[in-house]
Amino acid sequence: METLAPDGPYTVIADGNRPRSWASPHRVRFGYGPTVLSQIAVVRECRESAEIKDVLITARHGTVLRILGIPILGEYGAVHGVYLWCGTNDVAPSERRFTAAWEWDSKTKLAHHGPGIEGDILGVPKSAHRDIRAHTDFFRRVVRFDGRMSYYDFVAKLDPRESWDGEVTILREDGSLRQLHIFARAYIEAGARAVRGLVNDVTDIHQPDTSLEMPALRAVAAADGDPAGLIALDYSTVYEWLSAPNGELRRWVEEVPDIHPDDWDDWSCACRAVLEGDDVAAVNVRLRFGQAEWIRVVAHINNLNSSERSLGLIRITSSVDL
């Protein structure tokens, strides 16, 4: 059960090996009579305490039921969801489906991974685990994402009344494919704007499959050798590299660069111009990674000529050290 919105409503996103999309707990058949309210109480207790809850209740006909709630934690301890099991006290809980939590900060443009995403989802060796990654570092692993445009639109709006879910196929670092069902809600609190989410590994249910779209798009982007990627125009931020930069810009694949304060207005205005209808905008801008030297880049931002205006194509045509 997801608990992504602080005040609820909390909904069911999977029932054993049956995926659900934001289903009301009242519509899920537990088979033990009207125990829904008791289960929701356990979920709330798990969310508030971030601790496992294991309680016994008496159902109809005097049957003693055990309700087990196990919180699913984000990187900083926030409870994004609760694994919930209900059964008679003499039966062992069923094996849990792997679910992990994540959060994306709209200010830093960085994703924060909860326990399990690095190793179990991405297949990153333990010595190379990084709980904080740029979104470009995740999306470079995606080989199929049919709901890409709706997801970008969801992130661009960051409306706390809306939610998003969809499936993504990723290529792990060990060369295997994983099918992921991702759930996300916008989260706004005390001025902070973020996306909180859960990811379920559904590889055993839905066979992973690559898309003809992404290899073709990446091949076209790489044809002339210039780095090219998809840019979220609302945030003036590269989401995904279709043809990755090399040399001094190589870090852009895994990091979000700082834009020079004197160039930020030009950078954001170029994105805004394309967002508002221009076919292309060119901009000279300085950027750097960490405390490294500033690098001057010349970027061309193009309209993708699609119904989704918040996404553009960025191509870096030249770069030299200042």
Side-chain angles (χ1 to χ4, degrees), residues 42-51 53 69-71 79 82:
V42 170
V43 170
R44 292 189 180 279
E45 291 173 6
C46 278
R47 192 185 192 283
E48 293 172 0
S49 66
E51 297 177 347
K53 298 297 178 181
I70 302 177
V79 178
V82 175

Side-chain angles (χ1 to χ4, degrees), residues 97-100 120-121 172 177-181 199-206 208:
R97 175 169 296 280
F98 178 79
T99 304
D120 295 291
I121 294 295
R172 285 165 40 103
L177 294 175
R178 285 289 188 275
Q179 190 75 7
L180 310 178
H181 196 167
V199 54
N200 284 345
D201 187 339
V202 295
T203 306
D204 60 326
I205 303 172
H206 296 161

Side-chain angles (χ1 to χ4, degrees), residues 5 7 14-15 55 58 69 88 95 105 113-114 118 127 135 156 182 186-187 203 214 220 238 248 271 283 297 320:
D7 299 323
D15 181 8
V55 301
T58 301
T88 56
E95 183 178 356
D105 188 318
H113 291 168
E118 290 287 297
S127 60
H135 37 255
I182 299 175
Y187 176 78
T203 306
M214 288 312 299
V220 170
V238 177
E248 58 195 350
C271 293
V283 60
V297 303
V320 294

Side-chain angles (χ1 to χ4, degrees), residues 31-278:
Y32 298 108
T35 62
V36 171
L37 294 180
S38 299
Q39 298 191 58
I40 292 177
V42 170
V43 170
R44 292 189 180 279
E45 291 173 6
C46 278
R47 192 185 192 283
E48 293 172 0
S49 66
E51 297 177 347
I52 295 174
K53 298 297 178 181
D54 195 349
V55 301
L56 298 177
I57 65 169
T58 301
R60 64 184 178 186
H61 307 309
T63 303
V64 177
L65 298 179
R66 179 186 181 191
I67 300 179
L68 176 65
I70 302 177
I72 303 167
L73 304 178
E75 183 193 6
Y76 301 112
V79 178
H80 288 211
V82 175
Y83 166 76
L84 195 64
W85 180 86
C86 180
T88 56
N89 195 32
D90 58 346
V91 176
S94 55
E95 183 178 356
R96 283 183 286 159
R97 175 169 296 280
F98 178 79
T99 304
W102 57 276
E103 183 168 332
W104 179 76
D105 188 318
S106 68
K107 182 177 181 180
T108 64
K109 312 301 189 296
L110 295 173
H112 301 255
H113 291 168
I117 288 186
E118 290 287 297
D120 295 291
I121 294 295
L122 301 182
V124 177
K126 190 171 183 178
S127 60
H129 280 195
R130 295 168 54 190
D131 294 334
I132 301 176
R133 289 186 181 270
H135 37 255
T136 48
D137 196 12
F138 176 83
F139 281 109
R140 70 183 175 89
R141 309 164 194 269
V142 173
V143 294
R144 185 173 188 130
F145 188 4
D146 294 337
R148 180 188 306 273
M149 302 306 291
S150 63
Y151 175 74
Y152 289 148
D153 184 53
F154 164 73
V155 172
K157 293 177 180 177
L158 270 187
D159 185 340
R161 296 169 298 180
E162 294 189 3
S163 59
W164 180 90
D165 75 285
E167 291 198 14
V168 172
T169 306
I170 67 163
L171 180 65
R172 285 165 40 103
E173 295 207 2
D174 62 5
S176 65
L177 294 175
R178 285 289 188 275
Q179 190 75 7
L180 310 178
H181 196 167
I182 299 175
F183 299 83
R185 288 191 188 273
Y187 176 78
I188 301 177
E189 185 177 68
R193 296 167 60 84
V195 176
R196 282 185 170 177
L198 290 166
V199 54
N200 284 345
D201 187 339
V202 295
T203 306
D204 60 326
I205 303 172
H206 296 161
Q207 186 68 30
D209 187 20
T210 58
S211 169
L212 295 177
E213 169 203 2
M214 288 312 299
L217 192 55
R218 285 170 176 153
V220 170
D224 61 3
D226 291 329
L230 300 175
I231 183 169
L233 300 173
D234 296 86
Y235 291 102
S236 307
T237 303
V238 177
Y239 251 100
E240 178 180 357
W241 287 108
L242 304 172
S243 173
N246 294 309
E248 58 195 350
L249 295 177
R250 178 64 180 81
R251 292 173 64 178
W252 207 340
V253 174
E254 298 181 348
E255 300 179 38
V256 178
D258 293 323
I259 304 297
H260 195 287
D262 294 341
D263 298 338
W264 177 255
D265 285 346
D266 291 341
W267 173 254
S268 58
C269 284
C271 293
R272 178 62 55 181
V274 175
L275 179 64
E276 294 178 353
D278 288 0

